[in-house]
Each structure stands twice: as structure tokens, then as C-alpha cells.
Amino acid sequence: MVKELLELSALELGAAIKTGDISVTEATETALETMAEREGDLNCFITAAEQAIDRAKALQAGVRDAESPLYGVPMALKDNICTKGLKTCCASKILGDFAPPYDAAAAERLTAAGTVLLGKLNMDEFAMGSTTETSFYGPTRNPWDTSRVSGGSSGGAAAAVAARECFFALGSDTGGSIRQPASYCGVTGMKPTYGTVSRYGLIAYASSLDQIGPIARTAADCAAVLDAIRGKDKRDATSLDLPAGSLLAGLTGDIRGMRIGLPAECFADGLHPQVSAAVHAAADVLKDRGAQVETFPFPLMEYMVPTYYILACAEASSNLSRFDGVKYGWRAPEYEDLTDLYCRTRTEGFGAEVKRRILLGAFVLSSGYYDAYYKKALQVRALIKEAFDRAFQRYDLLLTPVSPTTAPALGESLSEALKMYLSDIYTVSVNLSGLSALSMPCGFDEKGLPIGAQLIGPALGDGTVLNAAHAFQLSTDYHKRSPYGKEAD
Ligand code: GLN
């Protein structure tokens, strides 16, 4: 029973809870047992929520009146999403044991939907990284091969979902941090259109790029989670007043006549041949379901990573100035005066990658270099957005790889920061342009590591992206494979 329960998707579990076949307590206990069994190997969680069982018992009493399809489903949140009274530290030493005085809007909405919070998930420090190795709490290992990284920065979230430690998770995506770990761990992850989910209570990395989204086992689960958390929130001026209607209800699986473009430059040098083959095979599956697929030239690929890193670091250097040892979390134990307090707290409290980005960001914003770097990057951002606008005049969706390779070995990326940055080539432009995009499992390499394909839609194309992914998952079973060798039927 326990294993069968673990193989259910979030929606299947929600349905079984509703019919009374499984209780909320049973589901929660099973997830907690799995956590206890696998955390020693994986390190997906930074903090466990103490009250999960009490919450499950309380929810069980309300099952009959439950409206959300996710009612009673155990889930977890990335550690940059604020939870009232529960430690939220962005995997950084500088936040210490900071327990926020309020919930993030997305956390609030999941509570209202009746989900059970299991805890807070490991990540790269302040969401800066592609491997979860910059976490102060040590890396999260990949459940498919524990000598490999889980991806980043939402590595804890992707690994926890893949390892069945929770039924879905929320991550954040500034330049690929939902999609890339989802691809390395063989799960489904969605970065919704900028503005879909309120950023209130999301600890900011780069505010014009950050977006919260789901990591789950299926596209249908992602749709249900987004239905629960999206929409206008007056505490985030950039949140959108979305048209009524549910994303889940829109999943027909019918993609006949859908026009899908493959940007030729996304399949050029630097892409691992097995990743390329798996994404092309995914294109064939979509074609078999009636989509029209063609390759087209897409310019500006070489500018995407530099533009992203200039803008993301500039925004980060400003956002992270609030961590000074006075307002939140940790403070250096010894200091001489106020300036020394700031200096020592930030020197000792931030890790190397975060410091590198604050320095880079402060540099590109400095008066001597602002025009040459920051302003230029904003101009290129506008050109990238125009290139996507043109592509979406011809295509409903674009299909690309998520990452040039499968999950690297632990330790490989940290020694070569530039190489790590370059591996973000297929994901960052989506954030620069405010688009919707999803990563879905589409195969395995010769080592048995998962490969992901990315579907990119225009702004507010979330429903189209999810429907194409749902159609793909109706024809394939990659998303059902488990790193523990158990295949669901
Ligand atoms: N890997 C990218 C970075 O380090 C993306 C991070 C993210 O999306 N949070 O900035």
C-alpha cells in the first residue's frame, strides 16, 4: 500500500482522499516515512514542519466539504518562500534561523486549498546557482544517481518530488531554477508567465525575472497547483488579474493543428547528442498527436547568457543590500562599530557565489560602467523579447532542450563558474521576456539520467504550454518512471 500510494500523482492522491480511499493522515505519514528513509542520502529539506501530522488530522475532518482537487495533499516549499513562524533562510548563513512574521501569498493560497506543508526545501544560496551546491546546508543529491547534482537552484524541490518525499513542491525561477532541476531529476516543472503568481513573500533575487511555480510529477498536477496559487494580489503590483477559468479544465490533450517551432540555434554546438536526440524524439511525439513541427532560425542566442547575468546580478546587488546583520537573521558575533558590523556580517554571512554576484552587480551599475553594461543589457533584453514576439507570430509554442547536458557530477560545476553560467543558455531568455515555459521528462541518457524538453509559450500562453505537455504525457511514460525502479501503471 505504502509504495502504491507514493506512486500516485498529486491529483490522483487528492481524488483518493476525496473518495475516502486514503486519509490525509495516511498520506502525510507515508510522505514523512519516505523523507526519513531517503533524506540521509539526498538532503532535499533544510527544515521540517513540525505540525504536519496535526494539520493532516485537522484537514481530515473537512474532507467532505473540500473543493480543491489538491485538498489533503502533502507538499513542500522552496526555502525562499516565506512561511509564518517557520524558518526560511534561502539556504544562507546570513539569514540564520530567521522565521518570517507572515506567509508568502503563494503559501497562503496553498493553505487555503487544504494542502499539508511538510517543510522547506534546499536550494542554491539566494537561488543563485545551477546545482544546489552553493547551499550553506550542503548540496542536494540527485535521486537517480547520488554522485550527481540535483540541479538548481530549486534542486531540493525537484529531488524531493522525484524521490516521492512530497507530492508536489513550489520552486522559484529567475533564469531556469524550476525547469533545469526538474529536467535533471525527471519531473515536470513550470515557470508561469511573469505576473501569474504573486511574489509577495518570495525573498527577491532579481525582481524583474523572479517567478514562483510548481514542480510536480505531471503537467496536470502543475496546472492544478497553478490554479490554486495564481491571480491578482494587491500586495504585488506586478501580479496579473487573470481571466477566470481553470488551467486544469483546459487540458484536453488535443493539439491537432498546433504550430510548434524548433529554434535551429538551440540544437547547435555544445548540446549533448543524446539530449538533442531525445528532444527531437519529443517533437515526433507531438507531431504524431497532430501538431505541425518545423525548425526555424532564431537569432541572438550568444547574447542571452551575458544579458541575463548582467541584469540578474544588478538587481541582486540591490535586493541583497537589506541583509546587513541588523534587520534579519544572523549577525557577526564581534565587531567594532556599525560599519564593521555590516562588513563582517556580510563577509562571513554570504557564500562565495553570492558575493561574486553582488560585486558584479555593483560593478555594472557603477557610474563609469552603467551605460556600457547595464543599459546595453536592457537594450539587448528588448531585442530578445522582439525576437520571441516574431517567433510567436508564426508558432503557438517553441520546443527546445532545457539544459545542454544531463546532471553533472557533484563538484564539477563549482570550479568553473563560467561553464555553469553557460549551461543556462536555453532557459534564461524566457525570464528576460516574461514568457511561460515548462520542462518535461523526455528520455534518459546512456547513464540512466533523465533528459528534459522545454516547451515555451508566449506571455499568458500557460494553458497552451500545459496542454501540449499533457498531450505528450498521454503518449509517453517518462514522467512515471521512478529513480527507485518502480514504475507506476
Ligand atoms: N542558474 C541561474 C542563476 O544562477 C538561474 C537561477 C534561478 O532561476 N534562480 O542565476
Side-chain angles (χ1 to χ4, degrees):
M1 182 60 203
V2 166
K3 292 289 176 213
E4 276 171 38
L5 191 159
L6 285 182
E7 294 310 314
L8 297 177
S9 71
L11 281 170
E12 287 165 345
L13 176 62
I17 287 171
K18 185 74 187 165
T19 56
D21 291 339
I22 294 172
S23 73
V24 185
T25 330
E26 192 181 353
T28 306
E29 276 167 357
T30 307
L32 291 174
E33 280 163 26
T34 315
M35 260 167 86
E37 200 177 291
R38 298 182 177 163
E39 270 300 275
D41 286 342
L42 301 178
N43 194 31
C44 302
F45 282 83
I46 294 177
T47 308
E50 305 266 303
Q51 329 77 340
I53 292 289
D54 292 346
R55 162 102 174 133
K57 284 183 186 152
L59 284 167
Q60 184 57 38
V63 166
R64 270 156 158 252
D65 303 323
E67 278 170 18
S68 165
L70 298 172
Y71 188 92
V73 175
M75 57 84 192
L77 302 174
K78 186 175 180 178
D79 203 35
N80 56 355
I81 298 175
C82 285
T83 42
K84 188 174 179 182
L86 181 64
K87 174 170 161 173
T88 303
C89 69
C90 282
S92 180
K93 178 178 174 181
I94 207 163
L95 272 162
D97 289 328
F98 174 66
Y102 61 89
D103 274 326
E108 238 171 44
R109 291 187 184 193
L110 283 183
T111 304
T115 62
V116 180
L117 176 64
L118 297 174
K120 305 301 290 291
L121 296 158
N122 202 7
M123 55 186 280
D124 281 297
E125 185 180 3
F126 284 104
M128 297 175 188
S130 306
T131 63
T132 309
E133 291 171 293
T134 71
S135 167
F136 178 64
Y137 296 86
T140 296
R141 291 164 182 269
N142 193 311
W144 294 89
D145 175 348
T146 52
S147 71
R148 297 190 172 259
V149 303
S150 55
S153 64
S154 312
V161 172
R164 279 63 173 159
E165 292 187 27
C166 59
F167 289 85
F168 74 88
L170 290 189
S172 68
D173 192 310
T174 304
S177 278
I178 288 176
R179 292 160 284 156
Q180 184 257 37
S183 122
Y184 284 0
C185 292
V187 293
T188 308
M190 170 109 189
K191 186 214 90 81
T193 299
Y194 186 77
T196 298
V197 182
S198 167
R199 288 179 294 108
Y200 177 77
L202 170 69
I203 299 176
Y205 162 11
S207 313
S208 78
L209 306 163
D210 296 341
Q211 194 57 197
I212 291 176
I215 296 184
R217 302 261 302 283
T218 66
D221 282 359
C222 288
V225 175
L226 275 175
D227 279 339
I229 62 174
R230 71 192 187 127
K232 186 73 189 163
D233 171 23
K234 63 179 187 328
R235 298 163 298 182
D236 171 5
T238 63
S239 66
L240 297 170
D241 207 354
L242 295 165
S246 104
L247 293 169
L248 185 59
L251 300 186
T252 58
D254 181 0
I255 56 167
R256 281 172 299 175
M258 192 182 271
R259 297 160 305 161
I260 300 179
L262 268 59
E265 287 73 5
C266 292
F267 294 86
D269 288 353
L271 178 63
H272 194 284
Q274 287 180 336
V275 177
S276 178
V279 179
H280 279 108
D284 289 340
V285 172
L286 295 166
K287 218 188 273 176
D288 286 346
R289 293 193 68 96
Q292 297 163 18
V293 182
E294 67 177 30
T295 300
F296 73 105
F298 191 66
L300 302 174
M301 282 307 284
E302 70 267 42
Y303 299 109
M304 290 177 181
V305 169
T307 305
Y308 167 78
Y309 275 93
I310 289 171
L311 296 176
C313 291
E315 292 186 32
S317 75
S318 160
N319 274 326
L320 270 59
S321 64
R322 73 191 65 177
F323 303 108
D324 57 5
V326 177
K327 298 192 266 313
Y328 316 91
W330 185 83
R331 176 180 301 167
E334 284 170 33
Y335 47 87
E336 275 159 21
D337 53 24
L338 188 61
T339 310
D340 196 39
L341 179 155
Y342 293 155
C343 185
R344 284 183 194 232
T345 301
R346 288 170 67 84
T347 304
E348 295 166 34
F350 286 134
E353 183 62 30
V354 173
K355 280 191 266 201
R356 176 170 23 233
R357 294 188 189 205
I358 293 173
L359 286 172
L360 192 64
F363 174 76
V364 300
L365 288 174
S366 61
S367 58
Y369 294 96
Y370 183 92
D371 285 351
Y373 293 105
Y374 183 71
K375 199 167 150 212
K376 185 65 81 188
L378 283 178
Q379 289 164 337
V380 180
R381 181 179 191 171
L383 293 178
I384 293 171
K385 191 169 175 310
E386 276 171 33
F388 276 111
D389 287 346
R390 274 197 301 278
F392 287 121
Q393 281 167 9
R394 286 174 60 190
Y395 303 108
D396 300 305
L397 295 179
L398 309 183
L399 177 71
T400 74
V402 179
S403 175
T405 64
T406 51
L410 282 156
E412 213 175 89
S413 310
L414 279 191
S415 52
E416 281 186 90
L418 193 58
K419 197 170 151 207
M420 185 177 84
Y421 296 170
L422 287 171
S423 74
D424 293 336
I425 179 146
Y426 305 122
T427 50
V428 292
S429 54
V430 166
N431 304 67
L432 288 170
S433 311
L435 309 174
S436 51
L438 173 146
S439 159
M440 60 188 185
C442 72
F444 292 86
D445 70 5
E446 84 274 8
K447 301 188 197 82
L449 297 169
I451 299 173
Q454 174 173 237
L455 286 165
I456 305 176
L460 297 179
D462 306 68
T464 314
V465 168
L466 284 161
N467 196 31
H470 179 63
F472 181 78
Q473 294 184 337
L474 289 175
S475 291
T476 57
D477 70 353
Y478 302 114
H479 60 291
K480 292 185 180 170
R481 311 263 181 98
S482 155
Y484 298 93
K486 178 107 174 51
E487 201 173 313
D489 44 35

